[in-house]
Amino acid sequence: MKIFKNVFFTLLLMGFLTPFLVLGYFLVGEDYDISSLKEYKPSLTTRFYDKNGEKIANIFEGEHRYYAEFNEIPPRAIEALLAIEDTTFFEHPGINVDAIFRAIIKDIKAGGLVEGASTITQQLVKNRLLSREKKISRKIKELIYALKVEMALTKEEILERYLNEIYFGHGYYGIKTAADGYFHKKLGDLTLKEMALLVGLPKAPSTYAPTKNYEISMGRANRVIARMYALGWIDEDTYNDALLESPQVFDDTLTQNSAPFIVDEVLRRAAEFGIEDIKSGGYEIYTTIDMRLQAAARDSLKKAYDMSVKRIESYIENDKRRVASNPDLEVQLDINTSILNGALVSLDSKTGDILALVGSVDYQKSSYNRATQGRRQPGSAFKPFVYQVAIDLGYSGATELIDISRTYTYEKNGEELKWQPKNYEKNYRGLLTLREALVHSRNLATINLVNDIGLSALLKEFRKFGIANLPPDLSIALGSITLSPLELAKYYTSFANGGIQVEPHLIRYIDKGTTTIYEKAERTRFITEETQAYIMTTILQDVIKKGTGRRANVKGIELAGKTGTTNNNIDGWFAGYSPTIETVVWFGNDDNTPMHRRETGGKIAAPAFAMFYEELLGLYPQIQRKFEKPDGVMEVNINGNPEFFSDISKPPRVEAEVNSQEMLLF
């Protein structure tokens, strides 16, 4: 009796009364809203690319989907789809009556609703507007919707929406997404076999998924190709060639996020570009990042970290042995290396394009971006700004400074306090040149230089760098300000770019469809004359050649830079540059406790800098390797050593007269 009822109602409703029911529902029934298909705006994936067009990541909410306009979809893909799903698509009005009757016969044999008769239009309606439950009432609604959609949209528009809406397995929605995910190809580059594989997936995405069931998926694709051949849509040679093909299939993660710090930083800044739907708006974000240098930065930072941890563990073991033999010895033994972390940022000195940005030693353990959000004291890495001001005021590398100790008194909360700064080496040199003072990072000479310039005059001159929140006291000479590595990198372009400071950029441009909604605008600030910046560069070159930054030296390329180590070895920095690329490295404990007392910027950060440039040379051996001396710089031999001067920083009169025969003008 039950089987008889199923058959009866199937025949009655699907075979005889459906046209009348459809007409009645359409004319006087409920309002069947198809606006979500007429104004089709699905959630779309945002894609990130590096400067060379290499994909960095996919970011999406809910469904991972790239959108394909109809003219992007190859005609062969359309033919393959119609061959297997809806051969008479361009002839029927949304409902295929012949298919309905074939389904009725199968339902009769099965004693229930087991066979569908859905056209592509009906499948689109079912996916976008209805549930998947197998009820006659839903089927009738599906028919009504299908007719209404066919009246509102062209066949091409229906196909476009279908191929963007439908699920292709593996988390891929839409044929463009599936082509990229499974084959790493654009739609126009797909082979016939690949197209056949894709259009065969929607019927049973899990069963036919090529990443899990490759042979089953190939069998389904071959049936699609055989159907095309049977219909006369492809010739025999095309048919045979397609059957023999075995496409390579990739099993990627959906996000493919190979640079999470970059993606996180862009997402954090999205509001600055007026983007509120960054995860669902289908944007294409072209960054300034070079993924090869990003990998080099990540590797270099990790290697330097591992070296430091190994050193610290060795130090602690040695200290334990010393304490065991001398219990009265006061040595820090409770050092926790798990809180040690680092950051590295590298940029093009001329354009400000950020080429690499790594915010921690291991993103999986800590996603906090210390390169952009971590603000720490730069210590002696800040000294070049003091010395640049001096050089711009007429000082030169040969100017003599006083390296002696002084005691300073100041008042805090009504109490008179004393400050007695020291050199890192705990000694004094008396008189030494400005070049020697910076090369060997002499604290006392730097403070005395500030006194010589005048603190108020120095702070006034600092305005040209655009540095905010400068402490109005002598501690500024030792880098008591707080900066992120990216901020320090920005200010260092003042030296690296010949006296012109450049604003760093992470994004080149952002597209949405065919519209560019953001494009970077270069912002620069004049700091000093090129001759004066070059004089600073020659001093910072000596920092690496024979000063505190010797571990940053790399054979085959000229480098300039400065170490930085804050009080109690809390922070270790190296900021430097080649003729074209600038890099800042920071290491420190996340809780602001001291690193080991032997870990300095020169020991922990400078090696990371060097390893990065070694990899850089391997990747780009053609880059500029020597600094260019600008016109107007005079090279003078003083006491057997070259020194550099300009019309502003003039050579000492006595030495110049003694060595005038050795003066070279450029």
Side-chain angles (χ1 to χ4, degrees), residues 28-259:
V28 300
E30 62 183 278
D31 181 21
Y32 288 86
D33 183 13
I34 63 169
S35 59
S36 66
L37 280 177
K38 289 179 65 177
E39 301 170 4
Y40 184 59
K41 294 180 180 179
S43 176
L44 300 178
T45 295
T46 288
R47 285 167 281 179
F48 292 74
Y49 300 94
D50 83 341
K51 64 176 295 186
N52 301 309
E54 178 183 341
K55 189 195 295 181
I56 294 176
N58 298 313
I59 299 296
F60 56 90
E61 283 183 338
E63 297 177 349
H64 172 33
R65 177 185 288 108
Y66 305 149
Y67 197 86
E69 302 285 348
F70 183 78
N71 59 10
E72 288 183 68
I73 303 168
R76 279 289 193 213
I78 300 292
E79 291 175 351
L81 171 67
L82 300 186
I84 199 67
E85 290 290 344
D86 192 351
T87 307
T88 62
F89 173 76
F90 282 100
E91 285 76 47
H92 65 62
I95 300 171
N96 188 330
V97 177
D98 291 340
I100 290 175
F101 275 100
R102 286 197 301 270
I104 290 172
I105 294 171
K106 289 191 176 182
D107 287 347
I108 292 172
K109 292 180 179 179
L113 295 177
V114 296
E115 175 70 12
S118 296
T119 63
I120 284 176
T121 310
Q122 288 173 263
Q123 292 179 44
L124 175 61
V125 164
K126 181 168 59 178
N127 275 274
R128 187 70 177 178
L129 304 176
L130 296 173
S131 66
R132 291 179 176 270
E133 59 183 346
K134 288 192 173 183
K135 291 184 178 180
I136 293 178
S137 60
R138 184 204 60 78
K139 195 67 178 178
I140 293 175
K141 287 183 179 181
E142 181 184 299
L143 297 176
I144 297 169
Y145 270 122
L147 291 172
K148 195 168 183 180
V149 167
E150 289 268 353
M151 293 177 66
L153 301 175
T154 66
K155 290 288 188 178
E156 290 77 12
E157 289 172 333
I158 292 170
L159 284 171
E160 179 180 316
R161 284 154 175 75
Y162 175 87
L163 286 170
N164 281 289
E165 177 68 20
I166 210 74
Y167 182 56
F168 286 82
H170 202 76
Y172 302 142
Y173 287 84
I175 192 170
K176 187 173 184 177
T177 322
D180 178 82
Y182 287 128
F183 306 122
H184 291 182
K185 288 185 176 182
K186 296 179 179 179
L187 287 172
D189 297 329
L190 293 174
T191 65
L192 176 58
K193 185 63 164 282
E194 290 165 343
M195 295 178 200
L197 188 154
L198 292 179
V199 301
L201 287 171
K203 184 175 182 64
S206 180
T207 302
Y208 297 129
T211 52
K212 295 189 297 184
N213 302 310
Y214 186 82
E215 293 303 324
I216 294 175
S217 180
M218 291 300 111
R220 171 72 168 166
N222 287 341
R223 288 195 292 276
V224 173
I225 294 166
R227 175 67 175 158
M228 295 177 73
Y229 179 59
L231 291 169
W233 293 357
I234 57 174
D235 59 30
E236 186 173 0
D237 288 342
T238 303
Y239 166 71
N240 290 326
D241 290 344
L243 290 182
L244 293 173
E245 184 187 347
S246 297
Q248 180 182 5
V249 174
F250 296 90
D251 190 4
D252 292 335
T253 62
L254 296 188
T255 60
Q256 300 180 25
N257 195 341
S258 55

Side-chain angles (χ1 to χ4, degrees), residues 7 37 48-49 53 91 108 146 165 254 287 290 334 377 415 449 461 514 523 525 564-565 579 624 650 664:
V7 172
L37 280 177
F48 292 74
Y49 300 94
E91 285 76 47
I108 292 172
E165 177 68 20
L254 296 188
T287 71
D290 183 317
D334 58 342
Q377 291 186 355
E415 181 182 0
L449 173 61
E461 288 293 319
T514 58
R523 291 161 52 193
R525 177 192 293 260
T565 307
Q624 184 178 337
K650 297 180 179 179
L664 298 175

Side-chain angles (χ1 to χ4, degrees), residues 320-350:
K320 285 179 179 178
R321 287 192 289 269
R322 291 170 60 206
V323 171
S325 61
N326 184 2
D328 295 330
L329 191 65
E330 293 185 5
V331 177
Q332 183 185 2
L333 297 176
D334 58 342
I335 295 175
N336 182 2
T337 56
S338 68
I339 56 176
L340 177 67
N341 224 307
L344 186 154
V345 59
S346 185
L347 48 83
D348 184 305
S349 305
K350 187 175 182 63

